[in-house]
Amino acid sequence: MSLMQELHTRITEIVVSEFGNPEAKAPDFDLPPEAAMGHLSMPCFPLAKTCRRAPRQIAARIAELLVDDPRVASAEAAGPYLNLRLRPADWFAEVLPSRLKGDAGEGLLPDEERRHVVVEFSCPNTNKPQHLGHVRNNVLGQSLARLLAAVGHRVTKVNLINDRGIHICKSMLAWQRWGEGETPQSSGLKGDHLVGRYYVLFAKKLAEEEQAWRAANGYGEKGTPEEEQRRSAAFEQASGLLADTRAMLVRWEKEDPEIRSLWSTMNGWVFAGFDETYRRMGVTFDKVYYESNTYLLGRDLVEDGLARGIFERHESGAVQCPLPELKLDPKVLLRSDGTTIYMTQDLGTAVERHREIPFDEMIYVVGSEQEHHFKVLFTILGKLGHAWAEKLYHLSYGMVNLTTGKMKSREGLVVDADDLLDELHSSCLRVMNESERRSDFEESKKAEVAAALADGALKYYVLKVNPRLDMLYDPQKSIELTGDTGPYLQYALARIRSLVRKSGLDPAACGDFGALGEAEEIELLKLLAFWPRQVLLAAEQRNPARLAGRIYDLARAFSSFFSAHSVFDRVEDPALAQQRVALAAAVGATLEQGLELLGIATPERI
RNA sequence: GCGCCCGUAGCUCAACCGGAUAGAGCAACGGCCUUCUAAGCCGUAGGUUGAAGGUUCGAGUCCUUCCGGGCGCGCCA
């Protein structure tokens, strides 16, 4: 048990014995708002009711009884708050070795709370390259998976690629019609970018067709909203391009060899492109599924539900699920022509997934615009009698908006993931080339470091924002490399590594910490002591942004310490140098763990 | 119309599920490299937390109403 835990237990004992309240449990320790107040604080308000005593009296009494505790250097009541100071040497001796070894400590869940968690994320379409929205998804999913694993869960990362459907046929049709046999090789384009180009081209040709159609029908002027809606619907019926696309989908479903061949060729290009982007971002999966293999799942499930009276047949012939508990209209699960829809597939996929991987919990990392869909999905699975439906969770994240407005992939108004990484890469290179300190870097080394920094800049930019919120992407700000950024964190870590290396001292060889005690050192100690709990909280709340903030706090505290004090150079007392190196190394190990949990690269030198 | 989410410094975001004086970065201004990495550090300035009520020892956080914004409510995916 850690010192903090011991003291917490001790305080609970005091509360029980002093105030005769067997139910009471001391509130969690907090950091006092001012360092001068002490190391730990505890508000005593929550105890007031059950102890039937004023908070300040409780704080005072606990302080009184703790003064003689050998683990405590000082204990005082500041009004209703209890402020404690530990003996720094003892606290350092406990925390530093533990952080150096990367012990999870309180950050590790007890065996009975560990689960097998499936995290499904990324799930791209094969009709376009990945953009910033996908980046947010990838980076969130990857980080969440690592966080959950870090606190003791077993995690399976899963990707379900949307590789079929009418939208895929659009890029296929455009390539077939206007591509003139262009390939990634002939064009020098990454496969996903090439296909994306034809998806955009399709949208352009369709818009032209619609314009011509409107002109021919005398719809030059914009009508009322109702009229416009009718016209759009009429155009959808009249469009030759759309009709051809639908025909292509039918041929695809009939496994027409020509269409299937075109499909696998173009998908192959996209997969190769995706692989490169994933590799670049350090995103990996334990299992990859393809919708072309799973899209038929679910029909039997619906038929079965119909037979069991859970679903009903509408007079049109469609099968639907009534949803009075959500106060919603019935959700159609099979169209009147018997075909399946998105929801049907998701139902089938979930059931199949649980059969294959008997998870305790599954997290879908999907944009917030699908909250309604998942609410309905989980409800229907529950109605079908799957107890695990309660263990499904939609990690809903907000949209990434641009300073110029919304992203629209059909119109090519997106920030492309690869382009953005390239831009960040050259920005990092430029800074390195301008720096005299880095004049001895080899060119290949520079490129390697720039890649790592670009990785950190992008991921941290995305991860530091609470997933739930929409975020704004500002191209100017995102290539900033100073201040609250990924490179700042990576830089702090690289400095520590260099420092420890140059000191020639073994951080682990340090047994005594009596020389430490400067304000900046204590600040670091507190952050390190709370670290395992922060990891646990971030995992519990499924919020990497929480951890990102704590990593930044730690890096900033170290930078302050580093500016204020010499670690070993010109430090007279060898014991002090040794202890400061151990402190630096412990911070380094923690930063390293934190960055790893965010999926951010940690270059040795910067 | 109904449902969900958001509104904090000029801008982008924090605030450890209700705790002490709401914090960072960027932008602005002023300092700090013959010493362990200046992608750094220190300082100045910047706020009626959209508005009004309420709940309580205590509210940016919870409740109500209003204002403003986003996203949904397909036999599309």
Side-chain angles (χ1 to χ4, degrees):
Chain A
M1 207 193 289
S2 73
L3 268 172
M4 271 166 65
Q5 284 172 315
E6 281 181 29
L7 281 172
H8 191 264
T9 306
R10 173 73 188 119
I11 293 172
T12 299
E13 282 169 17
I14 289 178
V15 171
V16 170
S17 62
E18 276 303 298
F19 306 110
N21 174 11
E23 297 299 310
K25 188 175 180 300
D28 285 339
F29 279 124
D30 221 332
L31 290 175
E34 295 286 337
M37 294 174 177
H39 300 153
L40 301 172
S41 80
M42 183 184 285
C44 294
F45 301 103
L47 294 169
K49 207 161 258 173
T50 52
C51 294
R52 310 173 73 184
R53 204 72 52 98
R56 49 182 61 238
Q57 280 178 296
I58 299 171
R61 185 59 184 148
I62 297 174
E64 209 177 308
L65 289 169
L66 277 179
V67 174
D68 295 329
D69 193 301
R71 293 163 296 198
V72 166
S74 77
E76 53 194 43
Y81 292 89
L82 172 69
N83 289 333
L84 297 182
R85 209 176 285 277
L86 306 190
R87 300 186 186 283
D90 296 343
W91 208 12
F92 275 116
E94 171 189 271
V95 171
L96 296 193
S98 154
R99 296 301 333 124
L100 267 174
K101 279 185 286 180
D103 284 357
E106 296 169 61
L108 206 55
L109 289 166
D111 286 350
E112 65 273 16
E113 286 178 34
R114 299 187 190 185
R115 310 269 181 261
H116 183 177
V117 185
V118 169
V119 181
E120 184 186 283
F121 68 105
S122 201
C123 305
N125 293 332
T126 53
N127 58 355
K128 55 186 178 237
Q130 303 201 27
H131 57 68
L132 249 187
H134 299 103
V135 169
R136 192 174 196 189
N137 187 308
N138 291 336
V139 155
L140 266 174
Q142 185 75 18
S143 173
L144 181 70
R146 292 191 183 196
L147 262 175
L148 294 171
V151 300
H153 293 302
R154 177 175 166 203
V155 178
T156 304
K157 292 180 290 181
V158 158
N159 188 5
L160 174 59
I161 297 182
N162 184 323
D163 62 341
R164 52 133 255 134
I166 196 80
H167 50 300
I168 309 292
C169 290
K170 289 177 180 174
S171 48
M172 285 163 62
L173 188 88
W175 184 87
Q176 194 184 49
R177 198 155 294 181
W178 302 291
E180 296 171 6
E182 192 177 29
T183 66
Q185 289 73 31
S186 75
S187 65
L189 277 174
K190 214 163 146 266
D192 49 340
H193 287 235
L194 179 68
V195 171
R197 188 174 280 197
Y198 284 99
Y199 186 67
V200 172
L201 180 63
F202 180 91
K204 191 175 152 232
K205 295 284 186 184
L206 186 67
E208 285 169 10
E209 190 189 23
E210 180 166 7
Q211 209 171 7
W213 176 84
R214 279 172 178 263
N217 287 281
Y219 295 152
E221 297 290 310
K222 209 173 161 71
T224 64
E226 293 75 28
E227 278 172 350
E228 284 301 312
Q229 212 175 347
R230 235 175 302 129
R231 287 173 191 177
S232 294
F235 172 69
E236 274 184 32
Q237 292 309 309
S239 163
L241 277 176
L242 289 177
D244 291 347
T245 315
R246 284 190 293 264
M248 188 181 260
L249 183 61
V250 171
R251 285 176 71 189
W252 183 90
E253 294 201 355
K254 287 185 179 151
E255 305 198 21
D256 178 301
E258 188 194 340
I259 299 302
R260 285 289 177 139
S261 153
L262 173 63
W263 173 72
S264 32
T265 301
M266 291 181 71
N267 267 354
W269 297 342
V270 175
F271 294 149
F274 281 177
D275 282 348
E276 200 179 321
T277 307
Y278 282 141
R279 187 159 13 90
R280 217 174 159 183
M281 295 188 56
V283 172
T284 60
F285 300 96
D286 299 308
K287 212 137 195 165
V288 178
Y289 298 87
Y290 299 91
E291 235 182 76
S292 52
N293 293 326
T294 62
Y295 79 105
L296 292 174
L297 292 173
R299 174 177 275 118
D300 295 348
L301 208 70
V302 175
E303 299 289 359
D304 178 56
L306 183 64
R308 285 158 58 199
I310 299 165
F311 304 143
E312 60 192 25
R313 196 177 287 281
H314 186 254
E315 54 190 28
S316 67
V319 177
Q320 58 187 25
C321 177
L323 292 166
E325 59 274 73
L326 296 182
K327 291 184 181 151
L328 289 172
D329 289 337
K331 174 67 192 173
V332 170
L333 300 174
L334 286 178
R335 297 189 185 97
S336 40
D337 65 6
T339 55
T340 61
I341 61 172
Y342 181 41
M343 184 63 79
T344 325
Q345 293 172 39
D346 265 10
L347 285 168
T349 305
V351 171
E352 180 66 19
R353 179 77 46 78
H354 187 260
R355 198 171 307 162
E356 189 191 337
I357 310 172
F359 56 79
D360 302 305
E361 194 176 315
M362 176 151 69
I363 300 175
Y364 294 87
V365 182
V366 181
S368 59
E369 68 275 9
Q370 295 205 39
E371 268 171 25
H372 180 258
H373 171 78
F374 282 102
K375 197 155 103 183
V376 172
L377 174 67
F378 298 165
T379 303
I380 296 179
L381 284 167
K383 287 167 84 94
L384 283 169
H386 299 293
W388 46 265
E390 285 178 27
K391 299 296 185 185
L392 301 174
Y393 180 82
H394 174 203
L395 178 70
S396 158
Y397 61 90
M399 314 214 308
V400 183
N401 295 317
L402 306 181
T403 40
T404 49
K406 274 192 210 312
M407 283 202 275
K408 290 175 187 154
S409 52
R410 261 173 306 191
E411 296 165 33
L413 291 177
V414 291
V415 175
D416 180 83
D418 296 309
D419 293 350
L420 180 54
L421 279 168
D422 288 342
E423 203 178 328
L424 283 164
H425 187 106
S426 51
S427 184
C428 294
L429 264 184
R430 194 171 48 247
V431 173
M432 255 186 282
N433 284 326
E434 283 165 4
S435 158
E436 275 181 39
R437 282 168 208 273
R438 292 160 183 85
S439 51
D440 64 321
F441 272 50
E442 295 164 28
E443 288 305 315
S444 65
K445 190 73 191 165
K446 273 186 191 168
E448 198 181 300
V449 172
L453 290 173
D455 177 75
L458 180 56
K459 286 179 180 168
Y460 187 76
Y461 183 83
V462 166
L463 282 178
K464 72 173 173 173
V465 181
N466 187 329
R468 189 181 48 239
L469 304 177
D470 286 355
M471 60 175 285
L472 189 73
Y473 171 79
D474 183 331
Q476 308 288 304
K477 296 234 170 77
S478 77
I479 56 168
E480 282 293 331
L481 305 171
T482 61
D484 186 8
T485 65
Y488 173 87
L489 307 177
Q490 294 168 307
Y491 178 69
L493 175 55
R495 283 206 295 190
I496 290 172
R497 283 174 171 167
S498 157
L499 188 65
V500 173
R501 203 168 39 232
K502 285 184 180 167
S503 77
L505 297 168
D506 177 9
C510 194
D512 172 59
F513 297 91
L516 298 177
E518 296 285 353
E520 292 86 355
E521 293 162 349
I522 300 290
E523 214 43 51
L524 287 168
L525 170 61
K526 289 193 286 190
L527 293 176
L528 292 177
F530 274 83
W531 175 262
R533 197 167 100 186
Q534 301 295 0
V535 174
L536 191 63
L537 275 171
E540 228 169 51
Q541 297 172 15
R542 289 148 182 163
N543 184 0
R546 165 141 299 159
L547 191 71
R550 303 295 77 74
I551 299 170
Y552 178 64
D553 290 344
L554 186 59
R556 208 154 53 90
F558 183 80
S559 293
S560 291
F561 161 72
F562 189 61
S563 303
H565 304 284
S566 211
V567 174
F568 64 85
D569 191 42
R570 306 209 306 189
V571 171
E572 304 288 329
D573 178 4
L576 179 59
Q578 168 73 59
Q579 291 168 31
R580 282 188 172 161
V581 167
L583 172 60
V587 172
T590 307
L591 286 176
E592 186 179 336
Q593 191 200 5
L595 288 171
E596 232 158 62
L597 289 175
L598 297 187
I600 292 176
T602 57
E604 276 301 317
R605 281 190 64 189
I606 289 176

